[in-house]
Amino acid sequence: QVQLVESGGGPVQAGGSLRLSCVASGRTLRWYTMGWFRQAPGKEREFVSAIQRSGDSSDHADSVKGRFTISRDNAKNTVYLQMDNLKPEDTAIYYCAADYALGSSRIPYQPKDYDYWGQGTQVTVSS
C-alpha cells in the first residue's frame, strides 16, 4: 500500500505561482510513475502532468505546458508540481497519483491506470 498526501494548494491571484507537494509513505516511490490530475466542479478528472520513475522523462497536458513543471525527489519520497502563471481555469482540486511501473517506461494518462491516489488539495485562482 502507498499513502499519498498532497499539500501546497490555496488561493492565488492570476499570474501567481504555487508549488504542490505529494509525500508518499508505505513504499518507495522509486517503483512508481507519478502523476498529477485535477478536477474542477462538474467536470471529469483530467491529466495534468506525469513523471517516470527515474525522473528522466515527463509529460504535461497541452493546457499547462510551459507553465507547470513536474519533478520528483525519490530520496524524499516526494513529487512536486510547480505551477507558474496560473489562470482562473486552473482552479480545481489537484490529486497526486501513483502507478506501479517496475519494468515499464510508459507514462499513463488515464485515471484508471493509476493504483493509488491522494485526497487532493484545492487550488483557487482568482482573476
Side-chain angles (χ1 to χ4, degrees):
Q1 285 282 351
V2 175
Q3 292 79 43
L4 302 173
V5 179
E6 303 97 333
S7 63
V12 64
Q13 289 192 332
S17 298
L18 286 173
R19 188 174 84 153
L20 305 184
S21 298
C22 172
V23 179
S25 60
R27 288 181 180 172
T28 176
L29 278 188
R30 299 177 191 275
W31 301 344
Y32 295 85
T33 294
M34 299 300 298
W36 285 97
F37 288 76
R38 66 187 182 187
Q39 189 166 17
K43 295 188 176 181
E44 293 187 351
R45 193 167 297 190
E46 66 173 0
F47 171 81
V48 175
S49 304
I51 187 167
Q52 287 183 326
R53 293 184 299 121
S54 64
D56 291 342
S57 180
S58 62
D59 200 8
H60 299 78
D62 288 342
S63 58
V64 306
K65 278 182 180 175
R67 300 189 297 121
F68 290 12
T69 304
I70 189 171
S71 61
R72 65 191 297 161
D73 185 339
N74 286 339
K76 295 182 177 180
N77 248 23
T78 302
V79 179
Y80 304 97
L81 185 67
Q82 177 66 42
M83 305 187 296
D84 298 318
N85 190 22
L86 282 159
K87 303 177 180 180
E89 51 264 41
D90 295 318
T91 295
I93 299 175
Y94 283 71
Y95 297 92
C96 172
D99 171 43
Y100 183 73
L102 198 61
S104 172
S105 61
R106 71 186 184 99
I107 290 182
Y109 295 90
Q110 299 299 320
K112 66 178 178 63
D113 294 325
Y114 287 79
D115 303 303
Y116 301 101
W117 292 84
Q119 83 290 347
T121 185
Q122 176 72 48
V123 172
T124 303
V125 186
S126 59
S127 57

